[in-house]
């Protein structure tokens, strides 16, 4: 999180162009997760976690860029968006790192 936000802050590059890609990726991950509820394929679950890690990293860049460039006026909503991104990133990383355990 610190590395991605620091990159977006120091370069001042506008990452608003990745918003559409992130939204479509989120829809694809949601559809695959819904399908995995019925199929219960462990490899698909790991692939979904890896995709969510990449998506949340992109969302951190996107949201931080929107905050820097004035795309967000309500800072409470911006804070909640970043918190949700960090939470989803953390949960997906835990799933990826703990897939070999029996729990």
């Amino acid at each position: 999180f610190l590395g991605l936000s620091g990159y977006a802050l120091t370069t001042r590059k506008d990452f608003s162009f990745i918003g559409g890609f992130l939204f479509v990726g989120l829809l694809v991950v949601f559809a695959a997760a819904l399908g995995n509820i019925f199929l219960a394929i462990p490899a698909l679950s790991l692939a979904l976690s890896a995709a969510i890690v990449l998506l949340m990293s992109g969302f951190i860049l996107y949201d931080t860029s929107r905050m820097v460039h004035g795309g967000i006026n309500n800072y409470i909503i911006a804070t909640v968006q970043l918190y949700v991104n960090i939470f989803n990133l953390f949960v997906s990383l835990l799933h990826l790192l703990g897939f070999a355990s029996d729990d």
Side-chain angles (χ1 to χ4, degrees):
F1 168 74
L2 292 175
L4 291 170
S5 290
Y7 179 72
L9 287 172
T10 56
T11 61
R12 301 241 181 228
K13 186 176 178 182
D14 189 15
F15 288 101
S16 63
F17 65 93
I18 63 173
F21 297 115
L22 292 173
F23 181 71
V24 170
L26 196 62
L27 289 178
V28 169
V29 165
F30 181 71
L34 192 61
N36 197 31
I37 290 173
F38 300 110
L39 299 175
I41 302 171
L44 182 58
S45 178
L46 287 176
L48 284 172
S49 290
I52 290 171
V53 165
L54 292 175
L55 276 173
M56 291 304 124
S57 298
F59 271 116
I60 289 171
L61 281 173
Y62 177 73
D63 289 339
T64 305
S65 174
R66 282 180 51 204
M67 287 170 41
V68 168
H69 295 291
I72 299 177
N73 295 329
N74 191 346
Y75 294 109
I76 295 173
I77 292 176
T79 304
V80 170
Q81 287 175 347
L82 279 177
Y83 173 75
V84 169
N85 293 338
I86 295 167
F87 179 77
N88 287 330
L89 179 67
F90 180 71
V91 168
S92 295
L93 282 173
L94 280 179
H95 185 254
L96 284 174
L97 294 175
F99 75 95
S101 68
D102 292 333
D103 294 338

